[in-house]
Amino acid sequence: MRASIRAVLLSALLAPGAALAAGGGGGGGGGAADARPSDPVVERATLATQREEWANAQSLWRDVLARNPNDAEYHNMYAYSLRKGPNPDMSLVFKHYNEALRLDPKHRGANEYLGEAYLMVNNLPKAKEQLGALDKLCFFPCKEYSDLKKSIADYEAKGK
């Protein structure tokens, strides 16, 4: 994940409502509905993710999910930490990205990351489906759409 995306995610989770209300992060719609009370476990999970401490991030996001199983962003971040870690269990990655999208079908981050996960398992058509979903979600081009489009182009350039 690029440094700018990390900064947006970090600010979105540490200062609830601020970045999401501004349209940043991978959240669904932003605004007051995304505001959350401060949670020290979420803060630690976010920092572990930012530092790419995948085992620690996975454990912390799993704990957050145990307490908040109906939160799309937490499913998204747990799946992200699984996907970025060594030897990811892709069935678990797909399970949590799909759960995030079941809870919030407009979650741009989950749509982008699910597309990237499809590329990891060499499923280009499904990655392109996620790009199509983002194209419909983003009235103007959004970062999630641009990032997935670039990932797909890079994948295709490698001839996979």
Side-chain angles (χ1 to χ4, degrees):
M1 179 160 54
R2 296 186 181 148
S4 63
I5 294 174
R6 282 191 199 128
V8 170
L9 280 174
L10 182 61
S11 67
L13 291 170
L14 293 180
L20 293 175
D34 290 321
R36 305 164 197 227
S38 179
D39 182 334
V41 180
V42 171
E43 291 174 11
R44 290 195 331 263
T46 301
L47 289 173
T49 302
Q50 181 185 29
R51 293 178 181 145
E52 300 181 4
E53 298 168 352
W54 303 122
N56 188 30
Q58 292 165 13
S59 175
L60 291 165
W61 286 120
R62 191 171 36 252
D63 290 348
V64 169
L65 271 175
R67 293 181 288 127
N68 304 282
N70 295 316
D71 191 299
E73 180 61 12
Y74 297 159
H75 281 280
N76 180 53
M77 292 307 300
Y78 179 52
Y80 178 83
S81 68
L82 290 167
R83 181 171 62 89
K84 297 303 268 187
N87 305 310
D89 177 347
M90 294 307 289
S91 64
L92 202 52
V93 169
F94 286 116
K95 173 186 173 186
H96 285 280
Y97 283 139
N98 282 310
E99 181 64 7
L101 291 172
R102 185 190 70 77
L103 292 166
D104 181 2
K106 295 181 180 181
H107 194 292
R108 293 186 314 262
N111 275 288
E112 174 194 351
Y113 296 156
L114 180 57
E116 292 175 3
Y118 282 128
L119 293 176
M120 289 176 68
V121 297
N122 300 313
N123 193 337
L124 181 59
K126 292 296 276 185
K128 287 183 175 183
E129 280 182 30
Q130 295 311 126
L131 186 64
L134 282 167
D135 190 36
K136 291 176 184 167
L137 289 174
C138 301
F139 182 69
F140 293 105
C142 62
K143 184 147 184 56
E144 295 84 0
Y145 175 86
S146 300
D147 287 350
L148 182 55
K149 186 174 183 176
K150 182 181 182 322
S151 294
I152 288 171
D154 291 347
Y155 179 91
E156 289 176 321
K158 291 178 184 173
K160 289 202 171 189

